[in-house]
PDB file of all heavy atoms in Angstrom:
ATOM      1  N   LEU M   1       0.839  -1.177  -0.027  1.00 61.00           N
ATOM      2  CA  LEU M   1       0.010  -0.011  -0.025  1.00 61.00           C
ATOM      3  C   LEU M   1       0.885   1.223  -0.021  1.00 61.00           C
ATOM      4  O   LEU M   1       1.918   1.249   0.631  1.00 61.00           O
ATOM      5  CB  LEU M   1      -0.889   0.037   1.236  1.00 61.00           C
ATOM      6  CG  LEU M   1      -1.939  -1.065   1.350  1.00 61.00           C
ATOM      7  CD1 LEU M   1      -2.605  -1.027   2.713  1.00 61.00           C
ATOM      8  CD2 LEU M   1      -2.953  -0.934   0.256  1.00 61.00           C
ATOM      9  N   GLY M   3       0.653   5.827  -1.008  1.00 62.00           N
ATOM     10  CA  GLY M   3      -0.250   6.975  -1.301  1.00 62.00           C
ATOM     11  C   GLY M   3      -0.621   7.097  -2.766  1.00 62.00           C
ATOM     12  O   GLY M   3      -1.671   7.710  -3.069  1.00 62.00           O
ATOM     13  N   VAL M  14      -7.385  -3.874   1.826  1.00 74.00           N
ATOM     14  CA  VAL M  14      -7.676  -3.917   3.249  1.00 74.00           C
ATOM     15  C   VAL M  14      -9.060  -4.483   3.582  1.00 74.00           C
ATOM     16  O   VAL M  14      -9.421  -4.625   4.729  1.00 74.00           O
ATOM     17  CB  VAL M  14      -7.471  -2.552   3.929  1.00 74.00           C
ATOM     18  CG1 VAL M  14      -6.078  -2.054   3.778  1.00 74.00           C
ATOM     19  CG2 VAL M  14      -8.499  -1.503   3.370  1.00 74.00           C
ATOM     20  N   PRO M  18     -12.575 -13.126   1.877  1.00 77.00           N
ATOM     21  CA  PRO M  18     -13.793 -13.946   1.665  1.00 77.00           C
ATOM     22  C   PRO M  18     -13.845 -15.108   2.673  1.00 77.00           C
ATOM     23  O   PRO M  18     -12.804 -15.539   3.203  1.00 77.00           O
ATOM     24  CB  PRO M  18     -13.663 -14.473   0.229  1.00 77.00           C
ATOM     25  CG  PRO M  18     -12.560 -13.634  -0.398  1.00 77.00           C
ATOM     26  CD  PRO M  18     -11.741 -13.129   0.679  1.00 77.00           C
ATOM     27  N   ARG M  22      -7.820 -16.706   4.343  1.00 64.00           N
ATOM     28  CA  ARG M  22      -7.109 -15.830   5.246  1.00 64.00           C
ATOM     29  C   ARG M  22      -6.223 -14.889   4.451  1.00 64.00           C
ATOM     30  O   ARG M  22      -5.618 -15.268   3.482  1.00 64.00           O
ATOM     31  CB  ARG M  22      -6.275 -16.607   6.211  1.00 64.00           C
ATOM     32  CG  ARG M  22      -5.447 -15.703   7.124  1.00 64.00           C
ATOM     33  CD  ARG M  22      -4.468 -16.471   7.973  1.00 64.00           C
ATOM     34  NE  ARG M  22      -5.239 -16.999   9.067  1.00 64.00           N
ATOM     35  CZ  ARG M  22      -4.714 -17.857   9.987  1.00 64.00           C
ATOM     36  NH1 ARG M  22      -3.482 -18.262   9.844  1.00 64.00           N
ATOM     37  NH2 ARG M  22      -5.450 -18.272  10.965  1.00 64.00           N
ATOM     38  N   ILE M  30      11.003  -0.967   4.900  1.00 47.00           N
ATOM     39  CA  ILE M  30      10.986   0.430   4.561  1.00 47.00           C
ATOM     40  C   ILE M  30       9.671   1.127   4.845  1.00 47.00           C
ATOM     41  O   ILE M  30       9.534   2.317   4.660  1.00 47.00           O
ATOM     42  CB  ILE M  30      11.336   0.607   3.022  1.00 47.00           C
ATOM     43  CG1 ILE M  30      10.300  -0.011   2.130  1.00 47.00           C
ATOM     44  CG2 ILE M  30      12.706   0.080   2.758  1.00 47.00           C
ATOM     45  CD1 ILE M  30      10.470   0.369   0.680  1.00 47.00           C
ATOM     46  N   GLU M  38      -8.667  -5.004   9.340  1.00 63.00           N
ATOM     47  CA  GLU M  38      -9.617  -5.834  10.091  1.00 63.00           C
ATOM     48  C   GLU M  38      -9.276  -7.290   9.916  1.00 63.00           C
ATOM     49  O   GLU M  38      -9.055  -7.785   8.858  1.00 63.00           O
ATOM     50  CB  GLU M  38     -11.033  -5.529   9.589  1.00 63.00           C
ATOM     51  CG  GLU M  38     -12.108  -6.331  10.316  1.00 63.00           C
ATOM     52  CD  GLU M  38     -13.483  -6.056   9.723  1.00 63.00           C
ATOM     53  OE1 GLU M  38     -13.680  -5.037   9.113  1.00 63.00           O
ATOM     54  OE2 GLU M  38     -14.336  -6.906   9.912  1.00 63.00           O
ATOM     55  N   ARG M  41      -4.434 -11.034  12.548  1.00 45.00           N
ATOM     56  CA  ARG M  41      -4.055 -11.579  13.837  1.00 45.00           C
ATOM     57  C   ARG M  41      -2.539 -11.702  14.031  1.00 45.00           C
ATOM     58  O   ARG M  41      -2.138 -11.906  15.168  1.00 45.00           O
ATOM     59  CB  ARG M  41      -4.742 -12.942  14.003  1.00 45.00           C
ATOM     60  CG  ARG M  41      -6.231 -12.886  13.965  1.00 45.00           C
ATOM     61  CD  ARG M  41      -6.885 -14.189  14.322  1.00 45.00           C
ATOM     62  NE  ARG M  41      -6.159 -15.337  13.803  1.00 45.00           N
ATOM     63  CZ  ARG M  41      -6.739 -16.325  13.103  1.00 45.00           C
ATOM     64  NH1 ARG M  41      -8.024 -16.256  12.869  1.00 45.00           N
ATOM     65  NH2 ARG M  41      -6.073 -17.341  12.709  1.00 45.00           N
ATOM     66  N   ASP M  45       7.552  -8.886  11.424  1.00 35.00           N
ATOM     67  CA  ASP M  45       8.550  -7.840  11.210  1.00 35.00           C
ATOM     68  C   ASP M  45       9.702  -8.504  10.486  1.00 35.00           C
ATOM     69  O   ASP M  45      10.307  -9.457  10.960  1.00 35.00           O
ATOM     70  CB  ASP M  45       8.976  -7.218  12.511  1.00 35.00           C
ATOM     71  CG  ASP M  45       9.924  -6.075  12.319  1.00 35.00           C
ATOM     72  OD1 ASP M  45      10.309  -5.765  11.198  1.00 35.00           O
ATOM     73  OD2 ASP M  45      10.331  -5.475  13.351  1.00 35.00           O
ATOM     74  N   PRO M  52      18.307 -14.087   6.115  1.00 57.00           N
ATOM     75  CA  PRO M  52      18.154 -14.859   7.374  1.00 57.00           C
ATOM     76  C   PRO M  52      17.816 -16.354   7.110  1.00 57.00           C
ATOM     77  O   PRO M  52      16.829 -16.885   7.587  1.00 57.00           O
ATOM     78  CB  PRO M  52      16.967 -14.143   7.986  1.00 57.00           C
ATOM     79  CG  PRO M  52      16.140 -13.694   6.796  1.00 57.00           C
ATOM     80  CD  PRO M  52      17.199 -13.271   5.790  1.00 57.00           C
ATOM     81  N   GLU M  55      17.712 -18.625  10.266  1.00 67.00           N
ATOM     82  CA  GLU M  55      16.529 -18.245  11.116  1.00 67.00           C
ATOM     83  C   GLU M  55      15.241 -18.779  10.477  1.00 67.00           C
ATOM     84  O   GLU M  55      14.354 -19.199  11.172  1.00 67.00           O
ATOM     85  CB  GLU M  55      16.467 -16.734  11.353  1.00 67.00           C
ATOM     86  CG  GLU M  55      17.553 -16.224  12.221  1.00 67.00           C
ATOM     87  CD  GLU M  55      18.866 -15.893  11.446  1.00 67.00           C
ATOM     88  OE1 GLU M  55      18.975 -16.224  10.218  1.00 67.00           O
ATOM     89  OE2 GLU M  55      19.740 -15.269  12.031  1.00 67.00           O
ATOM     90  N   GLY M  65       4.104 -22.910  10.163  1.00 83.00           N
ATOM     91  CA  GLY M  65       3.053 -23.811  10.592  1.00 83.00           C
ATOM     92  C   GLY M  65       1.998 -23.181  11.410  1.00 83.00           C
ATOM     93  O   GLY M  65       0.783 -23.438  11.262  1.00 83.00           O
ATOM     94  N   ASN M  69      -1.320 -22.771   9.024  1.00 86.00           N
ATOM     95  CA  ASN M  69      -1.854 -24.120   9.082  1.00 86.00           C
ATOM     96  C   ASN M  69      -3.320 -24.243   8.655  1.00 86.00           C
ATOM     97  O   ASN M  69      -3.754 -25.321   8.319  1.00 86.00           O
ATOM     98  CB  ASN M  69      -1.662 -24.693  10.494  1.00 86.00           C
ATOM     99  CG  ASN M  69      -2.487 -23.968  11.546  1.00 86.00           C
ATOM    100  OD1 ASN M  69      -3.048 -22.932  11.272  1.00 86.00           O
ATOM    101  ND2 ASN M  69      -2.509 -24.530  12.723  1.00 86.00           N
ATOM    102  N   HIS M  95       3.822 -26.053   2.198  1.00 92.00           N
ATOM    103  CA  HIS M  95       2.517 -26.341   1.643  1.00 92.00           C
ATOM    104  C   HIS M  95       2.701 -26.917   0.249  1.00 92.00           C
ATOM    105  O   HIS M  95       2.883 -26.184  -0.729  1.00 92.00           O
ATOM    106  CB  HIS M  95       1.657 -25.098   1.598  1.00 92.00           C
ATOM    107  CG  HIS M  95       1.463 -24.435   2.925  1.00 92.00           C
ATOM    108  ND1 HIS M  95       0.518 -24.943   3.826  1.00 92.00           N
ATOM    109  CD2 HIS M  95       2.056 -23.423   3.591  1.00 92.00           C
ATOM    110  CE1 HIS M  95       0.533 -24.256   4.931  1.00 92.00           C
ATOM    111  NE2 HIS M  95       1.467 -23.319   4.793  1.00 92.00           N
ATOM    112  N   GLY M  97       0.731 -27.866  -1.979  1.00 95.00           N
ATOM    113  CA  GLY M  97      -0.155 -27.426  -3.039  1.00 95.00           C
ATOM    114  C   GLY M  97      -0.090 -25.912  -3.233  1.00 95.00           C
ATOM    115  O   GLY M  97      -0.927 -25.366  -3.977  1.00 95.00           O
ATOM    116  N   ALA M 105      12.816  -6.712  -7.670  1.00 95.00           N
ATOM    117  CA  ALA M 105      13.144  -5.702  -8.654  1.00 95.00           C
ATOM    118  C   ALA M 105      14.600  -5.719  -9.041  1.00 95.00           C
ATOM    119  O   ALA M 105      14.949  -5.571 -10.212  1.00 95.00           O
ATOM    120  CB  ALA M 105      12.793  -4.316  -8.104  1.00 95.00           C
ATOM    121  N   TYR M 112      19.586 -14.595  -7.937  1.00 84.00           N
ATOM    122  CA  TYR M 112      19.666 -15.532  -6.768  1.00 84.00           C
ATOM    123  C   TYR M 112      18.275 -16.125  -6.502  1.00 84.00           C
ATOM    124  O   TYR M 112      18.149 -17.334  -6.236  1.00 84.00           O
ATOM    125  CB  TYR M 112      20.092 -14.796  -5.527  1.00 84.00           C
ATOM    126  CG  TYR M 112      21.568 -14.498  -5.482  1.00 84.00           C
ATOM    127  CD1 TYR M 112      22.098 -13.334  -6.009  1.00 84.00           C
ATOM    128  CD2 TYR M 112      22.454 -15.411  -4.876  1.00 84.00           C
ATOM    129  CE1 TYR M 112      23.460 -13.056  -5.984  1.00 84.00           C
ATOM    130  CE2 TYR M 112      23.786 -15.113  -4.826  1.00 84.00           C
ATOM    131  CZ  TYR M 112      24.288 -13.948  -5.391  1.00 84.00           C
ATOM    132  OH  TYR M 112      25.688 -13.702  -5.346  1.00 84.00           O
ATOM    133  N   ARG M 115      17.583 -18.769  -9.111  1.00 85.00           N
ATOM    134  CA  ARG M 115      18.429 -19.982  -8.878  1.00 85.00           C
ATOM    135  C   ARG M 115      17.930 -20.755  -7.657  1.00 85.00           C
ATOM    136  O   ARG M 115      17.933 -21.951  -7.669  1.00 85.00           O
ATOM    137  CB  ARG M 115      19.875 -19.521  -8.673  1.00 85.00           C
ATOM    138  CG  ARG M 115      20.845 -20.653  -8.628  1.00 85.00           C
ATOM    139  CD  ARG M 115      22.300 -20.244  -8.764  1.00 85.00           C
ATOM    140  NE  ARG M 115      22.675 -19.139  -7.929  1.00 85.00           N
ATOM    141  CZ  ARG M 115      23.131 -17.948  -8.383  1.00 85.00           C
ATOM    142  NH1 ARG M 115      23.156 -17.689  -9.675  1.00 85.00           N
ATOM    143  NH2 ARG M 115      23.479 -17.031  -7.516  1.00 85.00           N
ATOM    144  N   GLY M 135       2.736   1.618  -7.732  1.00 92.00           N
ATOM    145  CA  GLY M 135       1.374   2.033  -7.905  1.00 92.00           C
ATOM    146  C   GLY M 135       0.850   1.905  -9.344  1.00 92.00           C
ATOM    147  O   GLY M 135      -0.282   1.521  -9.574  1.00 92.00           O
ATOM    148  N   THR M 139       8.368   1.903 -15.223  1.00 97.00           N
ATOM    149  CA  THR M 139       9.735   1.596 -14.880  1.00 97.00           C
ATOM    150  C   THR M 139      10.096   2.162 -13.507  1.00 97.00           C
ATOM    151  O   THR M 139       9.432   3.118 -13.090  1.00 97.00           O
ATOM    152  CB  THR M 139      10.757   2.081 -15.947  1.00 97.00           C
ATOM    153  OG1 THR M 139      10.619   3.505 -16.038  1.00 97.00           O
ATOM    154  CG2 THR M 139      10.533   1.429 -17.307  1.00 97.00           C
ATOM    155  N   ASP M 144      21.580  -1.092  -7.889  1.00 89.00           N
ATOM    156  CA  ASP M 144      21.841  -2.519  -7.943  1.00 89.00           C
ATOM    157  C   ASP M 144      23.338  -2.716  -7.793  1.00 89.00           C
ATOM    158  O   ASP M 144      24.134  -2.602  -8.734  1.00 89.00           O
ATOM    159  CB  ASP M 144      21.364  -3.151  -9.256  1.00 89.00           C
ATOM    160  CG  ASP M 144      21.354  -4.654  -9.220  1.00 89.00           C
ATOM    161  OD1 ASP M 144      22.172  -5.236  -8.475  1.00 89.00           O
ATOM    162  OD2 ASP M 144      20.516  -5.246  -9.898  1.00 89.00           O
ATOM    163  N   SER M 149      22.883  -7.698  -2.597  1.00 73.00           N
ATOM    164  CA  SER M 149      23.271  -6.758  -1.544  1.00 73.00           C
ATOM    165  C   SER M 149      22.029  -6.155  -0.838  1.00 73.00           C
ATOM    166  O   SER M 149      21.035  -5.917  -1.459  1.00 73.00           O
ATOM    167  CB  SER M 149      24.078  -5.573  -2.163  1.00 73.00           C
ATOM    168  OG  SER M 149      24.263  -4.569  -1.243  1.00 73.00           O
ATOM    169  N   THR M 158      22.525   6.591  -4.305  1.00 87.00           N
ATOM    170  CA  THR M 158      23.520   7.628  -4.065  1.00 87.00           C
ATOM    171  C   THR M 158      24.193   7.991  -5.428  1.00 87.00           C
ATOM    172  O   THR M 158      24.023   7.296  -6.387  1.00 87.00           O
ATOM    173  CB  THR M 158      24.544   7.159  -3.063  1.00 87.00           C
ATOM    174  OG1 THR M 158      25.184   5.981  -3.603  1.00 87.00           O
ATOM    175  CG2 THR M 158      23.956   6.796  -1.739  1.00 87.00           C
ATOM    176  N   VAL M 164      20.027   1.019 -12.159  1.00 95.00           N
ATOM    177  CA  VAL M 164      19.413   0.301 -13.214  1.00 95.00           C
ATOM    178  C   VAL M 164      17.943   0.729 -13.296  1.00 95.00           C
ATOM    179  O   VAL M 164      17.388   1.110 -12.256  1.00 95.00           O
ATOM    180  CB  VAL M 164      19.470  -1.230 -13.071  1.00 95.00           C
ATOM    181  CG1 VAL M 164      20.920  -1.718 -13.149  1.00 95.00           C
ATOM    182  CG2 VAL M 164      18.851  -1.660 -11.737  1.00 95.00           C
ATOM    183  N   SER M 165      17.346   0.652 -14.453  1.00 96.00           N
ATOM    184  CA  SER M 165      15.912   0.841 -14.580  1.00 96.00           C
ATOM    185  C   SER M 165      15.293  -0.491 -14.831  1.00 96.00           C
ATOM    186  O   SER M 165      15.763  -1.233 -15.749  1.00 96.00           O
ATOM    187  CB  SER M 165      15.606   1.845 -15.732  1.00 96.00           C
ATOM    188  OG  SER M 165      15.997   3.122 -15.403  1.00 96.00           O
ATOM    189  N   SER M 168       8.190  -2.385 -14.188  1.00 96.00           N
ATOM    190  CA  SER M 168       7.314  -2.628 -13.058  1.00 96.00           C
ATOM    191  C   SER M 168       5.912  -2.898 -13.471  1.00 96.00           C
ATOM    192  O   SER M 168       5.480  -2.532 -14.551  1.00 96.00           O
ATOM    193  CB  SER M 168       7.337  -1.393 -12.124  1.00 96.00           C
ATOM    194  OG  SER M 168       6.758  -0.274 -12.803  1.00 96.00           O
ATOM    195  N   VAL M 177      -2.936 -11.283 -10.548  1.00 92.00           N
ATOM    196  CA  VAL M 177      -2.195 -12.517 -10.905  1.00 92.00           C
ATOM    197  C   VAL M 177      -2.372 -13.551  -9.804  1.00 92.00           C
ATOM    198  O   VAL M 177      -2.570 -14.737 -10.032  1.00 92.00           O
ATOM    199  CB  VAL M 177      -0.712 -12.242 -11.176  1.00 92.00           C
ATOM    200  CG1 VAL M 177       0.071 -13.499 -11.211  1.00 92.00           C
ATOM    201  CG2 VAL M 177      -0.573 -11.481 -12.488  1.00 92.00           C
TER     202      VAL M 177
END
Side-chain angles (χ1 to χ4, degrees):
L1 294 172
V14 299
R22 175 185 281 172
I30 63 169
E38 180 183 337
R41 299 187 319 230
D45 184 357
E55 291 85 351
N69 66 351
H95 299 282
Y112 284 88
R115 189 167 47 244
T139 59
D144 193 331
S149 171
T158 60
V164 295
S165 289
S168 66
V177 166

